[in-house]
Amino acid sequence: MDLKVNDYTTDDDLTVINVEGEIDVYTAPKLREKLIDLVNKGKYHLLVDMEKVEFLDSTGLGVLVGGLKRVRAHDGSLELVCTQERILKIFRITGLTKVFGIFDSVDDAREHRKKQK
Amino acid sequence: MAPEIATVELTFSPLPVHVRTARLVATAVARRGGVEETLLDEVRLAVGEACSRAVEAHQQQCPAEPVRVALRDGADRFQVVVSDRVPNDDPAGTARGELAELAELNGDLNLGFAVIAGLADDVDISSTPSGVEITMSWPAKKD
């Protein structure tokens, strides 16, 4: 299955990236390009919605870490929406649950963001 | 009488698009070999990680050589061996030079090995003069 990547920006300046499909060594470059493109356009607060991601490997993790580095260089943020246990397990194995904010829904992430302000 | 071991072998050109095929074949053979449904995701991911690493190594060193995957359906274990043909490669090393695109995607974090170690029930990584071999296995139940 191909990877589908779409984005929209909320009224509180959060860019939500909906990802659908398998993120692996073949498809990860597409997500990487999207993250780079958004940062180049000045979008520094990103929320990657992974609820429709069916598969994630270490290449996908590397792309997310790379995106996080890029937005942090601009005092930005990259957080995730994920409730799928099989995807969360990969974040736990690699210790990346400590690196990314992971929320149950886009609304939860936005609520958390409002409280931080 | 020794238990029968059925082996499925797969060779593929070192292209990222074929890693998905290797994952699918490994999962199908594991299912048929009696690996529990709850472990199939782990097999799929670990095999994908090992194949991604081999593809990366081949693209840098020997792009004409295929990556080999052997899927062995034994009496009580399902074993996967992913072999590359990059001699004396440091399996945990980072990519070198201009051909580091895949490693760059991975952020030089070597997360692949962390994932394999965290998922496979039993893992052995050996670097030999003929290449690197990653052997992983999971329990299998026979009816």
Side-chain angles (χ1 to χ4, degrees):
Chain A
M1 182 182 179
D2 285 337
L3 187 71
K4 293 180 184 171
V5 184
N6 298 299
D7 67 279
Y8 64 92
T9 300
T10 63
D11 52 14
D12 50 352
D13 201 29
L14 180 69
T15 301
V16 181
I17 303 149
N18 289 313
V19 187
E20 184 176 346
E22 298 190 347
I23 309 174
D24 67 1
V25 66
Y26 178 58
T27 61
K30 187 172 181 178
L31 178 59
R32 179 172 176 255
E33 283 164 20
K34 170 61 79 175
L35 297 177
I36 290 172
D37 181 50
L38 289 169
V39 171
N40 287 344
K41 288 176 177 167
K43 307 288 187 185
Y44 303 137
H45 293 283
L46 309 179
L47 180 66
V48 181
D49 186 344
M50 305 185 71
E51 287 299 82
K52 291 184 178 173
V53 170
E54 294 166 5
F55 181 85
L56 174 73
D57 73 2
S58 64
T59 319
L61 291 176
V63 167
L64 293 171
V65 171
L68 182 63
K69 283 182 186 172
R70 283 188 169 84
V71 293
R72 280 191 177 166
H74 300 277
D75 293 324
S77 62
L78 189 154
E79 293 173 323
L80 310 171
V81 172
C82 183
T83 60
Q84 297 187 72
E85 183 51 37
R86 65 180 178 180
I87 303 289
L88 290 170
K89 185 176 183 177
I90 303 163
F91 284 95
R92 278 199 291 273
I93 286 170
T94 52
L96 291 174
T97 46
K98 294 170 188 165
V99 175
F100 291 103
I102 302 178
F103 298 92
D104 288 348
S105 68
V106 171
D107 286 345
D108 280 359
R110 291 180 69 183
E111 196 61 36
H112 181 262
R113 190 166 139 76
K114 278 178 194 165
K115 287 176 186 170
Q116 297 276 305
K117 282 184 178 176
Chain B
M1 193 172 118
E4 188 182 341
I5 296 178
T7 302
V8 174
E9 287 192 337
L10 173 71
T11 60
F12 62 92
S13 303
L15 297 171
V17 69
H18 296 323
V19 172
R20 183 179 302 179
T21 306
R23 286 199 310 260
L24 291 171
V25 173
T27 308
V29 177
R31 179 179 281 118
R32 188 183 171 282
V35 175
E36 280 186 22
E37 285 292 324
T38 53
L39 294 177
L40 291 178
D41 259 347
E42 301 187 1
V43 173
R44 183 164 73 131
L45 185 54
V47 170
E49 295 292 353
C51 289
S52 296
R53 197 213 69 82
V55 165
E56 180 191 321
H58 276 226
Q59 287 198 342
Q60 291 172 44
Q61 303 285 331
C62 51
E65 289 279 341
V67 173
R68 304 181 70 84
V69 183
L71 308 159
R72 294 178 185 140
D73 171 14
D76 56 0
R77 306 286 296 177
F78 170 71
Q79 187 186 62
V80 182
V81 183
V82 178
S83 313
D84 71 40
R85 303 294 293 170
V86 180
N88 296 315
D89 186 30
D90 171 11
T94 55
R96 295 159 291 276
E98 295 174 356
L99 296 167
E101 191 178 338
L102 291 176
E104 189 183 304
L105 283 171
N106 209 335
D108 288 338
L109 297 171
N110 283 319
L111 293 171
F113 277 107
V115 173
I116 291 171
L119 291 178
D121 192 56
D122 184 43
V123 188
D124 179 66
I125 300 168
S126 58
S127 182
T128 70
S130 60
V132 174
E133 233 179 49
I134 299 179
T135 304
M136 307 168 279
S137 72
W138 291 265
K141 286 181 183 170
K142 303 294 179 193
D143 291 331

